[in-house]
Amino acid sequence: MLRFLVHPFVRLLILLLLLGAIIFVALDTTGVKARVSNLVFETYIKLKPRPPSDQVVFVDIDDLSLSKVGQWPWPRTVLAEMIENINEAGAKVIIFDGVLAEPDRTSPDSIASLLDETHPAREALENLPHHDGVLAQTIQKAQNFVAGFSHGSNPDSPLLKRNILVKQDV
């Protein structure tokens, strides 16, 4: 085996392979460096976790939440209640990292539109507040809510119409 490594061509080939690997990782065209860095950081955090801080608290919509409340997207009234609870708990800022791309399908007027014109419950449903409006009012009342937008956000959204999330005068 050692005799094999003595041959100059084999040593040159090994050197070129090592040099190629270094260049490959240095150029980071495949994200290898980022993946290795993330793996090392995750391992470090698992081995030596920091004590919890009350500075930042994440409210995560996880599998347990989905099993209790139901599939996503949740009715806007559920989100409004969640925002109220977080705000009352003393949050300085509430950041929402999600997209509500379409109007709430569970809103009373959406359900009313599925009913026959003569159905007795239709008028009562149409007179109830729209869930997107309830969420917009909750956000306005909280005054500490931050959310992102995706390109092509619905300009007819009650959240936008109330200037809650976008300042039109800017």
Side-chain angles (χ1 to χ4, degrees), residues 19 49-50 61 75 87 90 104 110 125 135 148 151 163:
L19 184 61
R50 294 180 185 172
I61 299 172
N87 196 37
D104 190 343
S110 298
L125 285 169
L135 178 60
H151 179 69
N163 293 330

Side-chain angles (χ1 to χ4, degrees), residues 28-93:
D28 197 26
T29 56
T30 60
V32 171
K33 197 162 64 171
R35 284 185 278 197
V36 169
S37 176
N38 289 342
L39 181 66
V40 168
F41 181 71
E42 274 186 42
T43 305
Y44 174 75
I45 292 298
K46 286 178 183 175
L47 292 175
K48 192 175 180 183
R50 294 180 185 172
S53 165
D54 62 353
Q55 295 296 313
V56 177
V57 177
F58 288 93
V59 178
D60 190 21
I61 299 172
D62 57 2
D63 289 335
L64 181 61
S65 305
L66 293 171
S67 69
K68 288 183 178 181
V69 179
Q71 80 179 53
W72 185 261
W74 291 342
R76 305 300 196 270
T77 52
V78 171
L79 296 176
E81 184 180 351
M82 194 167 65
I83 291 167
E84 279 180 12
N85 292 338
I86 293 170
N87 196 37
E88 288 173 6
K92 292 180 181 158
V93 178

Side-chain angles (χ1 to χ4, degrees), residues 124-163:
L125 285 169
E126 287 174 342
N127 291 329
L128 291 172
H130 192 282
H131 288 181
D132 288 325
V134 171
L135 178 60
Q137 288 173 349
T138 303
I139 290 170
Q140 188 174 31
K141 183 179 167 190
Q143 294 188 350
N144 62 353
F145 187 87
V146 179
F149 277 89
S150 66
H151 179 69
S153 295
N154 183 359
D156 297 325
S157 166
L159 299 176
L160 292 174
K161 284 184 177 178
R162 293 175 179 267
N163 293 330

